[in-house]
Amino acid sequence: MITQNITTSLINFIPEIILFTMSMVILLIGTSKSLKKYVFHFTVLSVVLAFIASVIYFPNNSLLLFNSSIIKNNITEFFKYICYFIFFIQIVVSKEYLNRKKLISGEFYSLLIFALLGCFIIISANNLIVLFLGIELSSLSLYSLIALNRSSFLSSEAAIKYFVLSIIASAIILFGFSYLYGITSTINILDIATFSSDREISNLYLFSYVLIFIGVAFKFAVAPFHMWLPDVYEGALLPITNFIASIPKIAFFVFAYRFLDENPIINNDNFSKLILSLGIFSIFIGNLFALAQKKIMRMLAYSGVANAGFIFLALFSATEYNFSIAAFYVASYAITAVSAISIITFMSSKNFDVVYIYDLKGMSSRSGYIAVLLMITLLSTAGIPLTIGFYAKYLVLDALVGSGLISVAVIVVLMTVVGLYYYLRVIWFMFFESGCNSLVNTNGRFSLFVLSLIPLSILLIFLFPDSIFSYIFKILA
């Protein structure tokens, strides 16, 4: 790795500087009556400029910036590119939704970019202090965004729950950081991860990792640390829910990867059993609770809990394999979740929000194309063949069987089969029930085009998965 001086560090940090600067500009534009209508355009411009800068300054080698507090390599850039793609889809699809509800404002887009910037800092952090600053920047922005719809009691309730529980999770992570610093005498994450390579893992070192990964489990909404998720999915504005369901999960996967890569603790029986147990329990709780849901967003929330369990099982499988399976699963789930919530966002009109599952009744007769897009997305989330979700779940199950955990794999398969019911129930309402609600929005050619990108990629990646998975395996090897 090459440590860079301050000038080179600033040059390589230009994408993040662009996002920070543009978020301030958008906030100021939002205060002007004549310029307020351009906040969306400036948001798109900021994402495009940051992406272009990221491509231009793509590192040929792994770089350490700002006195080794930031790391930039092909791993960080790969996950940032996925975040750019997801974020672009989110803001484009949500524009009309926010317009109809008269919620487009400078503070909305400014806070959203700050949340994205916080996730980017988490992805790039190589320093405990910088990492915690990234966590808090993202979290504080999301607190405000969840509560932004002041006319909704559910939004206020969701914001308070997320605020309180997220503070507890951040405190637990910080408690673990303090122990790690006391043990290792360094705040450099690379040094912390390799600290126990040539020495025995102490109980205190193990305890610090348990604390940190309990906090990570909260951020992933792994059961039993998931209680905030259904309320946030239900109470927050759909574009905010869309963000929470995807980009922070990618960021916290990289967080987990940084702490576990080349670290003997991943082979520690007590630590690996904790990760495995949380994964199994989350799949069990998520699928069972999703069966009872009548509201579409709460159903997707518990689906997220179940999929977070799969992510933890994939992290567990890194004891025998590298982190490529977990990375592939996180990326595929994040993209699929964005597709589902974006379609629901698109269908929600000025006087009507898609809240209950039966609101989708007869959707195929009103817009067969939208119904097919949502069907492909739900089938992928369920893990049905011919979708990226199937391939991702297959990789996790194959890793479990390869590790000799056949009984665990059987339990996971059975719970996945149980979970098929609540996905197929939505599809049944769309295609086999009559009486479509005329208030459901189906207009918007450009948004429909953007919405088509993810279901199309879900099918194409299943047909040609090796090139993408091989690349992920290569950069994480």
Side-chain angles (χ1 to χ4, degrees):
M1 293 186 184
I2 304 171
T3 304
Q4 305 295 307
N5 59 34
I6 186 67
T7 304
T8 311
S9 295
L10 285 170
I11 291 172
N12 282 280
F13 204 62
I14 281 177
E16 286 78 6
I17 293 172
I18 289 172
L19 289 176
F20 174 79
T21 305
M22 291 300 291
S23 66
M24 294 288 95
V25 170
I26 290 166
L27 189 60
L28 290 173
I29 288 173
T31 62
S32 170
K33 290 183 179 180
S34 59
L35 297 175
K36 185 178 179 180
K37 58 185 177 182
Y38 297 114
V39 290
F40 169 78
H41 304 86
F42 273 86
T43 303
V44 173
L45 178 64
S46 65
V47 175
V48 172
L49 289 177
F51 175 74
I52 292 171
S54 186
V55 171
I56 291 172
Y57 295 105
F58 187 88
N60 295 319
N61 303 299
S62 186
L63 306 176
L64 291 173
L65 313 176
F66 301 110
N67 198 26
S68 300
S69 61
I70 296 288
I71 187 168
K72 184 173 183 176
N73 53 27
N74 50 5
I75 298 172
T76 61
E77 299 311 288
F78 172 74
F79 287 107
K80 285 179 184 178
Y81 291 161
I82 296 175
C83 291
Y84 280 125
F85 173 68
I86 288 173
F87 191 77
F88 178 78
I89 288 177
Q90 289 171 348
I91 59 176
V92 169
V93 172
S94 64
K95 180 177 181 288
E96 289 305 316
Y97 171 86
L98 295 169
N99 252 336
R100 288 191 290 264
K101 295 185 178 298
K102 298 180 180 179
L103 289 170
I104 284 189
S105 61
E107 57 266 29
F108 175 85
Y109 286 116
S110 179
L111 286 168
L112 202 59
I113 292 175
F114 268 126
L116 177 67
L117 180 60
C119 290
F120 280 2
I121 292 173
I122 294 170
I123 289 172
S124 298
N126 187 45
N127 177 303
L128 294 181
I129 297 173
V130 173
L131 177 58
F132 191 72
L133 287 174
I135 293 171
E136 289 307 294
L137 177 59
S138 177
S139 298
L140 287 169
S141 301
L142 290 174
Y143 302 151
S144 305
L145 285 166
I146 292 169
L148 196 63
N149 187 10
R150 292 185 291 271
S151 62
S152 170
F153 171 76
L154 289 174
S155 289
S156 302
E157 181 186 5
I160 291 170
K161 286 184 179 179
Y162 186 74
F163 179 74
V164 173
L165 294 176
S166 187
I167 283 176
I168 294 171
S170 295
I172 292 171
I173 290 174
L174 193 59
F175 194 30
F177 284 177
S178 65
Y179 273 124
L180 276 182
Y181 175 68
I183 296 164
T184 63
S185 301
T186 181
I187 57 174
N188 186 288
I189 297 173
L190 288 175
D191 293 338
I192 289 170
T194 56
F195 175 80
S196 57
S197 298
D198 55 352
R199 52 174 63 85
E200 186 179 352
I201 296 173
S202 66
N203 289 332
L204 197 57
Y205 187 82
L206 174 63
F207 180 63
S208 67
Y209 262 74
V210 170
L211 289 174
I212 290 168
F213 275 81
I214 286 175
V216 171
F218 171 87
K219 300 297 184 180
F220 272 112
V222 172
F225 309 105
H226 68 289
M227 300 306 293
W228 60 276
L229 193 68
D231 293 311
V232 169
Y233 268 51
E234 182 183 10
L237 293 169
L238 288 173
I240 309 307
T241 303
N242 210 349
F243 185 95
I244 292 170
S246 53
I247 293 176
K249 284 184 169 58
I250 294 172
F252 278 94
F253 163 74
V254 181
F255 175 118
Y257 167 76
R258 288 263 179 267
F259 277 87
L260 296 178
D261 187 39
E262 298 182 6
N263 192 333
I265 198 168
I266 198 169
N267 297 312
N268 181 279
D269 282 344
N270 293 322
F271 182 76
S272 60
K273 285 177 181 175
L274 171 68
I275 301 297
L276 179 65
S277 301
L278 287 174
I280 296 170
F281 186 65
S282 192
I283 292 171
F284 183 80
I285 292 296
N287 282 313
L288 284 186
F289 276 73
L291 292 174
Q293 302 307 311
K294 295 180 180 179
K295 295 183 176 181
I296 185 74
M297 294 310 299
R298 292 187 74 89
M299 187 207 80
L300 289 176
Y302 283 109
S303 168
V305 173
N307 279 281
F310 269 97
I311 293 170
F312 263 53
L313 291 183
L315 288 174
F316 170 82
S317 72
T319 55
E320 297 291 334
Y321 307 87
N322 76 352
F323 290 87
S324 54
I325 295 174
F328 187 84
Y329 196 97
V330 168
S332 62
Y333 170 71
I335 291 172
T336 307
V338 165
S339 181
I341 299 172
S342 295
I343 292 170
I344 293 169
T345 303
F346 174 77
M347 289 191 294
S348 296
S349 62
K350 180 179 180 180
N351 300 314
F352 177 76
D353 283 339
V354 177
V355 176
Y356 293 93
I357 293 172
Y358 59 71
D359 288 336
L360 299 171
K361 188 184 295 183
M363 189 64 205
S364 62
S365 62
R366 181 165 172 79
S367 177
Y369 185 69
I370 296 175
V372 169
L373 293 180
L374 185 55
M375 179 186 71
I376 293 171
T377 301
L378 291 175
L379 291 178
S380 179
T381 312
I384 298 297
L386 302 181
T387 65
I388 186 177
F390 170 78
Y391 190 71
K393 283 182 168 60
Y394 164 77
L395 289 173
V396 175
L397 292 170
D398 183 58
L400 290 173
V401 172
S403 301
L405 298 171
I406 298 175
S407 58
V408 174
V410 170
I411 293 170
V412 170
V413 169
L414 289 175
M415 292 312 302
T416 303
V417 172
V418 169
L420 284 176
Y421 169 77
Y422 56 84
Y423 296 112
L424 294 177
R425 181 175 55 170
V426 178
I427 295 171
W428 173 271
F429 271 106
M430 288 195 298
F431 286 91
F432 301 104
E433 293 282 347
S434 58
C436 179
N437 193 321
S438 60
L439 293 175
V440 173
N441 178 58
T442 57
N443 300 319
R445 290 184 179 180
F446 183 69
S447 293
L448 277 175
F449 168 74
V450 173
L451 286 174
S452 304
L453 295 177
I454 295 181
L456 181 62
S457 64
I458 285 171
L459 299 175
L460 287 177
I461 294 174
F462 174 81
L463 296 175
F464 309 101
D466 290 341
S467 56
I468 294 176
F469 185 72
S470 297
Y471 178 75
I472 294 174
F473 188 89
K474 178 183 175 182
I475 63 175
L476 293 175

